[in-house]
């Protein structure tokens, strides 16, 4: 039985009349109407408006603080032919902001270039040394996008040089604002914009709108990418920006993006927010993680097809390098996370050497997913004295608060509830780790508790259709504030569980249905052994579509599952090692000598087939260590298994595989050969005899052993001799023949069959118990 890793909470509402009205008037399933109400649609009109975003919902750019002064300064700079530099950022929001603003200024005749800081040499935001270089190279006006609001030092320097700075940003406001010529910010104190959650590219878009004097629909594709990548709320104004931005993306009008999408698994014509979040944005972000991100702006602004193809390849290559780095560091970090004493900790601070700084946040997110613990991943510098890291939190633990009171242990620190960046002296590692543990205790955080998962609705397997997907996606785009609905598929029968992918790290489950339904679980290879073929499961995840060769089918992107019945795991082995017996389990051993050898060296009781019925094993793991010599005995033992959670099949044996029993004609031909040549030298003549009989060496030796037991032949000093005047014997009644037949049943049923067949056979023997728990 597989238990759910999350606590599932079914969404409910007491506003049944409103839910019914929305369901009927909007023609959507009841659970989606209920979800709309839960997400703030407290009237039919609001629900209808939510389902059909309009460009008219957008606020005019003139409502943003500072935009009039910014436009005036930029227009003056253009009229005086000043060199304008757009100063951006190295993430996807920053790159799209830079591309959007650069393209806008170029189109209205500005003398403009752009600068994307390097994560490793320049850091985030305004950098005085970079400003100095830009000014020396002729920049006369600096226009920041997606940064600048905390750049007091660099902006003061620019002011002293007589260079003006216009800031467009969306990040949290510092206590002291920089002395810029103009600040365009949706949260400016005392002059807040009606919608405060624009991303950097959202603010840049409003700036472009104001500069152009008309609505720049053709720029919305960049807006959709930046907003989805930066995980801003997808409610309100952002919902309209992203919705129409996705429509623009699907048109394929931007050459660089068109070529980049070709290199992904995304279908450009049906591009979704998930495609942007998991295919496009990570590739753009990879540039800044690996080095120089300016290539991203080139890609986004070029309309030369050949240039676009080359740049798209560079971007994709950077992402592949990023993936390889992440994979290697993930493995090392996972090993550290599972080692003592980290196993018993509520929080994790993992410090490695030579781990690439650009991917530490990704690794931290992975470890959080694997362990459920707030995690900081750090790497030391060349001399091993300083560590820089990124942290990721979990619900119920305030990561920023946990560290904010311990700034004396760090050389730099910043972040929020769920993420942080920091650096610290390596000799402070222990104290910092203890501070995290103390914070976990203070905040009453328990990593062993199941996190919760909100289930929007339940579907039967027959309801998992492309039409249902389209209904659910009427609520799209999804993201913070409007998360993609998680659906529970109830009473689904597992008909197949296989590993897929180049490294067989993903799992595809198939559910019995017409047509069959696929469930995809990425980077969870253990799931293939947890989901017993033939068992019944409740599965949760998000619906998606698989388009292949003109066919469109719905599938589930796996999130969690619970199964009824007993889980069957296949860990068949031909070697046993002491460390294998450290698992907490009940160990069933058929062989008396092996049982005596391991007794006292296991993490759990060791039992024999005779005592299995005497031991209550409710919800435990049963490991069947070795292989029996009689398949009927094995079936009887399985039939006596209680409602254990797991049957783990090791089925160790020292036997070598044997060939099938020769048929009657082979035995007759051997007898006739021995009659015509009564003496055969077993040391030299057996290969020729086997060739003559057309049997394998294993089969020939077996036939001779049967003849010896039957009294047909003897071996004398290496010579095989016929016995005269033998009695008629039914060879199938000999012990040797019957043991061979028994072992072949064991071998062909338990040892040589694929995992699916083995599970099906065990499930059949367990049938009554599995059926009881459906």
């Amino acid at each position: 039985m597989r238990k759910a890793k999350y606590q599932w909470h079914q969404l409910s509402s007491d506003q049944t009349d409103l839910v019914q009205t929305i369901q009927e008037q909007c023609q959507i399933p009841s659970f989606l109407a209920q979800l709309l109400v839960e997400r703030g649609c407290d009237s039919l009109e609001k629900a209808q408006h939510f389902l059909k975003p309009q460009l008219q919902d957008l606020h005019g750019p003139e409502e943003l603080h500072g935009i009039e002064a910014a436009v005036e300064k930029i227009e003056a700079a253009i009229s005086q032919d000043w060199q304008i530099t757009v100063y951006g950022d190295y993430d996807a929001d920053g790159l799209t902001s830079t591309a959007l603003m650069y393209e806008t200024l170029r189109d209205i005749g500005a003398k403009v270039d752009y600068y994307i800081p390097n994560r490793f040499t320049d850091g985030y935001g305004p950098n005085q040394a970079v400003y100095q270089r830009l000014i020396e190279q002729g920049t006369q006006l600096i226009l920041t996008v997606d940064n600048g609001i905390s750049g007091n030092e660099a902006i003061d320097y620019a002011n002293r040089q007589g260079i003006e700075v216009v800031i467009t940003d969306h990040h949290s406001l510092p206590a002291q604002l920089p002395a810029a010529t103009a600040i365009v910010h949706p949260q400016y104190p005392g002059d807040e914009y009606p919608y405060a959650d624009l991303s950097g590219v959202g603010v840049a878009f409003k700036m472009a709108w104001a500069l152009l004097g008309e609505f720049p629909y053709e720029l919305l594709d960049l807006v959709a990418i930046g907003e989805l990548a930066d995980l801003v709320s997808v409610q309100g104004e952002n919902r309209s920006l992203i919705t129409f931005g996705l429509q623009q993306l699907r048109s394929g009008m931007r050459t660089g993006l068109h070529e980049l999408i070709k290199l992904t698994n995304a279908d450009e014509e049906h591009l979704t927010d998930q495609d942007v979040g998991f295919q496009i944005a990570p590739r753009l972000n990879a540039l800044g993680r690996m080095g120089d991100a300016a290539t991203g702006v080139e890609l986004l602004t070029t309309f030369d097809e050949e240039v676009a193809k080359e740049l798209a390849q560079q971007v994709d290559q950077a992402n592949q390098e990023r993936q390889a780095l992440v994979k290697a560091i993930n493995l090392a970090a996972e090993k550290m996370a599972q080692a003592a004493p980290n196993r018993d900790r509520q929080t994790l601070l993992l410090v490695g050497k030579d781990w690439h700084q650009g991917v530490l946040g990704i690794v931290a997110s992975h470890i959080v997913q694997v362990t459920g613990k707030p995690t900081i991943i750090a790497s030391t510098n060349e001399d091993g004295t300083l560590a820089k890291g990124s942290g990721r939190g979990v619900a119920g633990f305030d990561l920023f608060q946990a560290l904010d009171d311990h700034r004396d242990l760090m050389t730099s620190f910043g972040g929020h509830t769920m993420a942080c960046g920091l650096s610290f002296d390596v000799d402070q590692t222990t104290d910092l780790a203890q501070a995290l543990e103390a914070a976990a205790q203070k905040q009453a955080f328990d990593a062993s508790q199941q996190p919760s998962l909100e289930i929007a609705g339940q579907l039967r397997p027959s309801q998992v259709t492309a039409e249902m997907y389209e209904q659910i996606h009427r609520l799209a785009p999804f993201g913070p504030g409007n998360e993609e609905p998680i659906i529970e598929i109830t009473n689904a029968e597992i008909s197949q569980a296989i590993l897929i992918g180049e490294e067989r790290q993903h799992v595809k489950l198939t559910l019995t249905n017409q047509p069959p339904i696929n469930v995809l679980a990425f980077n969870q290879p253990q799931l293939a052994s947890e989901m017993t073929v033939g068992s019944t499961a409740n599965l949760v995840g998000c619906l998606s579509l698989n388009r292949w060769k003109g066919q469109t089918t719905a599938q589930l992107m796996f999130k969690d599952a619970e199964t009824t019945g007993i889980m069957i795991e296949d860990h068949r082995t031909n070697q046993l090692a002491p460390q294998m017996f450290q698992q907490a389990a009940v160990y069933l051993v058929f062989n008396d000598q092996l049982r005596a050898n391991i007794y006292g060296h296991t993490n759990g009781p060791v039992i024999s087939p005779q005592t299995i019925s005497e031991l209550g094993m409710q919800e435990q793991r049963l490991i069947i260590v070795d292989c029996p010599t009689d398949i009927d005995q094995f079936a009887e033992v399985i039939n006596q298994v209680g409602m254990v959670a797991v049957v783990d099949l090791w089925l160790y044996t020292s036997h070598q595989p044997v060939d099938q029993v020769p048929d009657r004609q082979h035995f007759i031909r051997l007898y006739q050969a021995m009659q015509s040549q009564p003496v055969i030298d077993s040391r030299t003549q057996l290969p020729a005899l086997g060739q003559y009989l057309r049997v394998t060496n294993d089969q020939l030796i077996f036939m001779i052993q049967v003849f010896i037991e039957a009294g047909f032949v003897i071996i004398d000093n290496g010579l095989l001799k016929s016995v005269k005047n033998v009695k008629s014997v039914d060879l199938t009644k000999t012990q040797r023949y019957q043991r061979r037949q028994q072992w072949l049943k064991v071998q062909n049923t338990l040892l040589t069959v694929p995992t699916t067949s083995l599970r099906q056979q065990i499930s059949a023997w367990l049938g009554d118990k599995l059926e009881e728990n459906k």
Side-chain angles (χ1 to χ4, degrees):
M1 181 183 299
R2 183 192 195 275
K3 294 184 178 180
K5 294 184 178 179
Y6 293 85
Q7 292 183 25
W8 302 356
H9 296 290
Q10 296 289 339
L11 191 65
S12 61
S13 173
D14 55 4
Q15 300 186 60
T16 54
D17 291 343
L18 177 58
V19 169
Q20 184 175 353
T21 299
I22 292 174
Q23 175 191 357
E24 293 173 351
Q25 295 298 315
C26 297
Q27 296 185 318
I28 58 176
S30 176
F31 74 89
L32 292 180
Q34 186 169 267
L35 187 61
L36 285 174
V37 172
E38 192 272 338
R39 293 184 179 177
C41 294
D42 54 10
S43 67
L44 173 61
E45 292 70 28
K46 285 186 179 180
Q48 292 171 328
H49 195 78
F50 186 92
L51 293 173
K52 291 186 178 181
Q54 303 292 322
L55 286 176
Q56 290 83 347
D57 298 338
L58 302 180
H59 301 285
E62 69 279 358
E63 297 185 57
L64 270 169
H65 173 88
I67 202 162
E68 184 177 340
V71 169
E72 183 178 339
K73 174 51 63 179
I74 292 170
E75 289 177 341
I78 294 172
S79 67
Q80 297 174 62
D81 200 30
W82 281 9
Q83 176 65 51
I84 302 174
T85 296
V86 179
Y87 193 97
D89 188 24
Y90 42 70
D91 67 1
D93 190 25
L95 295 178
T96 51
S97 300
T98 305
L100 185 150
M101 190 58 66
Y102 170 72
E103 196 171 279
T104 298
L105 292 174
R106 184 186 61 187
D107 289 350
I108 61 176
K111 183 180 178 181
V112 60
D113 60 11
Y114 58 84
Y115 185 84
I116 300 297
N118 184 290
R119 176 193 295 264
F120 308 103
T121 58
D122 301 332
Y124 166 76
N127 178 298
Q128 182 172 321
V130 175
Y131 271 30
Q132 181 177 347
R133 289 201 310 272
L134 293 174
I135 293 168
E136 290 172 353
Q137 293 166 7
T139 293
Q140 295 166 286
L141 174 65
I142 296 173
L143 172 59
T144 74
V145 289
D146 193 33
N147 76 95
I149 201 65
S150 297
N152 298 61
E153 181 181 345
I155 292 167
D156 286 344
Y157 170 80
N159 290 335
R160 292 195 299 271
Q161 306 307 310
I163 302 301
E164 296 185 76
V165 180
V166 171
I167 294 172
T168 71
D169 200 357
H170 73 118
H171 290 96
S172 298
L173 296 165
Q176 181 179 352
L177 296 176
T181 301
I183 296 176
V184 181
H185 196 291
Q187 299 172 37
Y188 195 88
D191 195 9
E192 289 84 358
Y193 183 68
Y195 187 73
D197 206 20
L198 291 172
S199 73
V201 74
V203 178
F205 177 79
K206 294 301 178 77
M207 188 76 206
W209 186 358
L211 285 166
L212 292 166
E214 59 184 15
F215 188 81
Y217 191 93
E218 69 281 358
L219 297 177
L220 284 173
D221 50 3
L222 296 175
V223 178
I225 293 173
E227 296 233 313
L228 288 168
D230 217 48
L231 299 176
V232 293
S233 169
V234 293
Q235 293 188 345
E237 188 172 33
N238 283 343
R239 181 169 172 79
S240 295
L241 289 171
I242 295 169
T243 297
F244 292 98
L246 287 170
Q247 290 181 9
Q248 181 71 2
L249 273 170
R250 294 176 191 129
S251 71
M253 296 299 292
R254 195 169 291 273
T255 309
L257 283 174
H258 176 70
E259 294 300 328
L260 183 63
I261 292 169
K262 284 183 181 180
L263 301 177
T264 73
N265 295 321
D267 179 352
E268 187 173 43
E269 187 179 348
H270 303 94
L271 207 70
T272 68
D273 49 78
Q274 299 297 301
D275 294 324
V276 173
F278 292 102
Q279 299 290 345
I280 299 174
R283 284 170 167 80
L284 294 175
N285 281 327
L287 292 169
R289 296 184 186 281
M290 303 306 296
D292 184 6
T295 303
V297 180
E298 295 179 61
L299 176 79
L300 296 172
T301 55
T302 186
F303 288 90
D304 184 305
E305 187 173 329
E306 292 305 313
V307 171
K309 287 180 179 178
E310 182 179 346
L311 291 172
Q313 290 286 352
Q314 292 178 27
V315 172
D316 195 58
Q317 180 61 35
N319 189 54
Q320 292 179 34
E321 293 172 5
R322 188 270 304 172
Q323 289 174 324
L325 276 173
V326 168
K327 179 181 176 181
I329 301 174
N330 276 348
L331 289 173
E334 276 189 55
K335 187 175 181 180
M336 292 173 66
Q338 301 300 339
N342 285 328
R343 283 195 303 267
D344 300 323
R345 295 176 59 86
Q346 300 297 316
T347 61
L348 294 172
L349 172 58
L350 308 178
V351 182
K353 183 179 181 182
D354 297 327
W355 289 354
H356 197 287
Q357 295 286 338
V359 300
L360 298 183
I362 298 176
V363 176
S365 295
H366 173 76
I367 299 300
V368 167
Q369 183 179 14
V370 170
T371 65
K373 300 177 181 180
T375 300
I376 293 173
I377 302 292
S379 181
T380 59
N381 61 356
E382 290 184 3
D383 62 11
T385 60
L386 183 69
K388 292 184 178 181
S390 291
R392 296 293 183 269
V394 300
F397 184 84
D398 190 325
L399 187 59
F400 182 83
Q401 185 184 69
L403 294 173
D404 192 39
D405 292 336
H406 302 280
R407 289 178 179 265
D408 58 310
L409 299 176
M410 299 172 283
T411 56
S412 65
F413 170 68
H416 52 80
T417 300
M418 298 294 286
C420 72
L422 71 164
S423 60
F424 54 93
D425 292 330
V426 171
D427 57 11
Q428 299 284 10
T429 302
T430 300
D431 290 343
L432 199 56
Q434 290 175 348
L436 284 170
E437 284 296 283
Q441 185 174 3
K442 183 177 180 181
Q443 296 183 29
F445 173 76
D446 183 359
S448 65
Q449 289 185 347
Q450 284 182 302
S452 62
L453 197 64
E454 183 182 86
I455 309 299
Q458 292 181 326
L459 299 176
R460 297 185 304 277
S462 60
Q463 294 175 298
V464 180
T465 63
E467 291 73 23
M468 180 60 73
Y469 168 88
E470 297 296 347
Q471 286 278 37
I472 291 172
H473 276 253
R474 290 180 64 187
L475 275 64
F478 299 120
N482 184 40
E483 286 74 14
E484 187 171 7
I486 295 174
I487 304 301
E488 178 184 354
I489 301 179
T490 59
N491 298 318
E493 183 176 339
I494 309 297
S495 62
Q496 186 182 57
I498 59 173
L499 292 168
I500 60 174
E502 290 183 6
E503 299 180 7
R504 295 172 63 80
Q505 74 274 37
H506 312 309
V507 174
K508 181 173 79 170
L509 305 175
T510 303
L511 309 183
T512 301
N513 194 59
Q514 279 305 325
I517 299 167
N518 290 331
V519 179
L520 300 182
F522 292 107
N523 297 307
Q524 299 190 59
Q526 77 288 347
L527 191 66
S529 62
E530 293 175 352
M531 305 301 286
T532 304
V533 172
S535 65
T536 299
N538 296 327
L539 302 107
V540 297
C542 298
L543 291 195
S544 72
L545 289 184
N546 178 36
R547 293 183 173 91
W548 178 250
K549 294 184 178 180
Q551 299 293 316
T552 301
T553 55
Q555 59 190 10
L556 187 76
M557 309 309 290
F558 178 87
K559 183 70 175 179
D560 198 9
E562 60 180 13
T563 62
T564 57
I566 299 171
M567 188 188 308
I568 301 169
E569 296 184 1
D570 179 9
H571 293 126
R572 286 174 288 185
T573 182
N574 56 12
Q575 288 185 327
L576 295 176
Q579 60 268 25
M580 295 171 65
F581 296 92
Q582 298 310 303
Q583 299 182 60
V586 176
Y587 292 85
L588 171 64
V589 185
F590 288 90
N591 184 273
D592 294 339
Q593 185 59 56
L594 177 59
R595 192 181 318 113
N597 290 343
I598 68 173
Y599 190 80
H601 300 285
T602 62
N603 186 11
V606 179
I607 63 174
S608 70
Q610 291 73 31
T611 59
I612 188 169
S613 61
E614 301 171 9
L615 190 67
M617 292 186 291
Q618 191 78 9
E619 297 298 313
Q620 295 188 61
R621 172 181 287 268
L622 172 66
I623 295 177
I624 302 181
V625 176
D626 60 340
C627 205
T629 56
D630 185 335
I631 197 66
D632 293 333
Q633 179 194 25
F634 188 80
E636 184 179 347
V637 165
I638 293 297
N639 193 253
Q640 295 181 63
V641 169
M643 278 310 301
V644 296
V646 180
V647 173
D648 190 349
L649 302 165
W650 291 3
L651 301 180
Y652 164 77
T653 179
S654 59
H655 286 74
Q656 295 299 315
V658 298
D659 296 327
Q660 296 300 310
V661 172
D663 61 28
R664 184 171 182 272
Q665 289 302 315
H666 285 111
F667 282 99
I668 291 173
R669 293 188 67 194
L670 175 59
Y671 184 80
Q672 292 171 342
M674 292 298 301
Q675 293 300 311
S676 63
Q677 187 175 342
V679 178
I680 295 175
D681 190 335
S682 63
R683 293 161 295 193
T684 60
Q685 294 180 292
L686 289 188
L689 180 59
Q691 289 180 353
Y692 168 73
L693 297 174
R694 295 181 181 177
V695 295
T696 66
N697 185 65
D698 173 67
Q699 289 173 318
L700 177 59
I701 297 299
F702 164 69
M703 293 167 68
I704 291 171
Q705 290 171 334
V706 171
F707 273 19
I708 292 173
E709 183 180 340
F712 291 180
V713 298
I714 62 171
I715 290 186
D716 182 14
N717 197 28
L719 298 177
L720 186 63
K721 298 179 180 181
S722 293
V723 176
K724 296 179 180 180
N725 302 320
V726 297
K727 296 179 179 180
S728 177
V729 175
D730 184 351
L731 299 181
T732 63
K733 302 298 185 183
T734 62
Q735 290 184 10
R736 179 70 65 176
Y737 193 99
Q738 293 192 349
R739 283 201 302 268
R740 178 80 160 209
Q741 288 284 53
Q742 286 181 343
W743 179 250
L744 279 169
K745 287 183 180 179
V746 171
Q747 177 178 287
N748 296 337
T749 305
L750 301 179
L751 299 179
T752 59
V753 294
T755 296
T756 300
S757 299
L758 177 64
R759 285 186 179 145
Q760 287 174 342
Q761 180 59 72
I762 302 298
S763 296
W765 286 328
L766 289 167
D768 292 342
K769 295 178 177 60
L770 294 174
E771 191 64 34
E772 287 168 8
N773 285 270
K774 282 189 177 181

